[in-house]
Amino acid sequence: MLALGLYGLTVVPVDPLGLALLVGGIGLMVLDVRARKLGPLTVAGLIAFSGGSVLAWRDMAAAMRISPWLIGGAVVASALYYGFALTVAIQSRDRIVNAQRGLIGLVGEARGRLAPDGPVYVKGTMWRGRSTGSEIASGAAVRVRGVDGLILQVEAEPDMGRPDEPAQPADR
């Protein structure tokens, strides 16, 4: 695609300022997505993108000019894609990663034998667990040490009773 695009730029005369504005506008929108927000960079990017689209091929013959409707449609599509779809997708991924980090350190219960994989009950939900050490018996308390996708990396917790019961104070 890149080779065809470069070939097209050598065949059709392009205004360098218009091409720079077009590419710069896309770059500004990408920067705003990387910043995880919809803000002034997206607006500036859309303005540069539309201006660059008009300027890049303005000296073409009337039969070959780009339609203003096509440019407007591309600007609206870019606004929806960069300003909404990518931003929402990145924020959604961040929420999942933060939720996974919140599981680390919690205590749960092995609901089956972990040799090395098996069911683990943590924070009111059944998970697939993987023992980081030796085999863990069913009913044993486990502590989450890491998260790999939807698999919890767990290790046996020293004998402390059931995970959903408060620890009993030692008798004196």
Side-chain angles (χ1 to χ4, degrees), residues 81-147:
Y81 181 69
Y82 288 103
F84 179 71
L86 286 180
T87 304
V88 168
I90 287 176
Q91 289 172 348
S92 175
R93 185 191 66 178
D94 288 346
R95 277 193 298 273
I96 292 170
V97 168
N98 289 336
Q100 288 176 339
R101 285 187 191 136
L103 291 171
I104 296 174
L106 294 179
V107 176
E109 178 185 359
R111 292 285 173 98
R113 196 176 107 212
L114 274 72
D117 291 353
V120 176
Y121 187 76
V122 178
K123 200 173 181 181
T125 306
M126 192 68 75
W127 295 85
R128 182 174 168 204
R130 180 170 293 143
S131 172
T132 58
S134 61
E135 181 178 311
I136 300 173
S138 179
V142 294
R143 184 170 296 272
V144 179
R145 292 298 178 198
V147 180

Side-chain angles (χ1 to χ4, degrees), residues 28-43 46 77-95:
L28 287 173
M29 290 183 279
V30 167
L31 282 175
D32 217 15
V33 167
R34 298 291 295 165
R36 292 169 170 74
K37 62 182 180 180
L38 177 62
L41 287 179
T42 300
V43 174
L46 288 170
S78 295
L80 292 174
Y81 181 69
Y82 288 103
F84 179 71
L86 286 180
T87 304
V88 168
I90 287 176
Q91 289 172 348
S92 175
R93 185 191 66 178
D94 288 346
R95 277 193 298 273

